[in-house]
Amino acid sequence: MLTRTDLRGRVPSTAELRATLPRAEMDVEQVLHQVRPVIEAVRDRGVEAVLEFTEKFDSVRPDRVRVPAEELRRALDELDPQVRAGLEESIARARKVHNDQRRTDVTTQVVPGGTVTERWVPVERVGLYAPGGLAVYPSSVVMNVVPAQAAGVESLVVCSPPQAEFGGRPHPVILAAAQLLGVTEVWAVGGAQAVALLAYGGTDTDGAELVPADMVTGPGNVFVTAAKRQLRSLIGIDSEAGPTEIAILADETADPVHVAADLISQAEHDTLAASVLVTDSEALADAVDAELARQVPQTKHSERIRTALTGKQSGCILVSGIDDGIKVVDAYAAEHLEIQTAQAEQVAQRVRNAGAIFVGPYAPVSLGDYCAGSNHVLPTGGCARHSSGLSVQSFLRGIHVISYTEQALRDVADKVVALATAEDLPAHGQAVTARFD
């Protein structure tokens, strides 16, 4: 089922690997022209435009954007007890991990009388996007809200597309997750219009102010991503998330049943989802193919999964050994990387590029999606080579606070003047010497 690329007997360069390895494609540039009028309309006409686009794209027109507080409470009261228990466990584990990421201010004495303090200040207001397309993602609410709260963000608003099935409100599980997390503000809006409303703000149909956000995080489709790209000069964003992806580095010790199940689990997200196996064992590759043929027809979303697994973004890469396999997965820089090899811990330590690394047979990506405690909002499309997943740091800004006494400035004045002169900016030097003339 997986297309094979045989790299045995040779070690391609990093450039060749980047060009050769399967990769999901999401051309944001192709939809910018569709998104731009939406953004401009929301900027100019506010909620009226938002509701028009919502009716056009989501086939429902809510009576207002902000979901009433009593509906959040009712959604939680009516939530299936087992789902509630799962969400509570997910929240508790995520808080435990993210609370340990908090930063403290650090003051460095550069010279006697001269200090620089790095002060960490949270973003004031954040908009958190929870998708509502092929699936419902209360887990995305958890993964966005928990680090923002741990960072000390004071004002949070969750946006999620309205559902005709639920009277123009977001899915009840989304509302329940928000209530469980203590988020009191939820907007029934999705797509590019949601990002635009978060950027510009507006006035709801009942006259209430919809306060704009300083930052927008959370996954979404290509239109959401295009809107985030176009508005990033006005708002901060976490990343331009593309289709989800998994890479599994495995050897002959891996269980093909587990490997196949994990490849399927990511393919279940979307027909563009990428599932990549990297192995030095042709026997394992054969066994995984056989397992895929057996397991895929048994899944609920078999057609979606089959399309993803047979697409050009998925495949099996055969390598000569684990050393070559590490080079391949580093070049691929997967959003999710599983290590199912002998000495998996040691192999994982050698990997440089991945959004998150899942080590051994009992740490599947699905665990990270919900209850590992880690964050599942991760860099895609090879961005793990230079970017990290969502964390407390995503919502913090480091501000340098500089304090110098007169003597400390006098002692370095000649150095400042020399450097300013070298850059032909004499007024810079004068700004220092003027204090002593």
Side-chain angles (χ1 to χ4, degrees), residues 125-311:
R125 179 167 167 82
V126 176
L128 309 168
Y129 190 83
L134 293 176
V136 180
Y137 292 103
S139 58
S140 288
V141 180
V142 174
M143 298 299 170
N144 281 271
V145 169
V146 167
Q149 289 177 331
V153 175
E154 293 183 0
S155 179
L156 295 172
V157 52
V158 170
C159 281
S160 193
Q163 312 282 320
E165 180 183 357
F166 301 107
R169 305 296 187 222
H171 196 285
V173 182
I174 297 291
L175 302 182
Q179 179 72 12
L180 202 56
L181 287 155
V183 176
T184 59
E185 192 173 355
V186 179
W187 294 356
V189 57
Q193 62 269 25
V195 181
L197 187 61
L198 287 168
Y200 293 114
T203 302
D204 210 344
T205 56
D206 60 358
E209 182 183 9
L210 300 172
V211 180
D214 302 304
M215 182 178 185
V216 175
T217 69
N221 62 20
V222 66
F223 300 101
V224 171
T225 301
K228 289 168 77 173
R229 175 182 292 185
Q230 191 166 332
L231 288 163
R232 67 185 309 168
S233 61
L234 183 62
I235 53 171
I237 66 170
D238 49 349
S239 64
E240 293 188 6
T244 190
E245 58 197 24
I246 181 175
I248 301 178
L249 178 59
D251 62 14
E252 73 281 354
T253 66
D255 188 325
V257 175
H258 300 169
V259 173
D262 294 351
L263 293 170
I264 288 171
S265 72
Q266 287 306 109
E268 185 176 38
H269 277 284
D270 193 298
T271 56
L272 294 177
S275 295
V276 177
L277 171 62
V278 181
T279 182
D280 62 349
S281 170
E282 190 170 4
L284 177 70
D286 292 340
V288 168
D289 264 346
E291 274 301 315
L292 291 174
R294 182 183 70 84
Q295 292 185 34
V296 169
Q298 300 175 12
T299 62
K300 178 179 180 180
H301 305 293
S302 58
E303 286 307 309
R304 183 194 308 166
I305 292 167
R306 187 182 306 277
T307 300
L309 291 176
T310 57

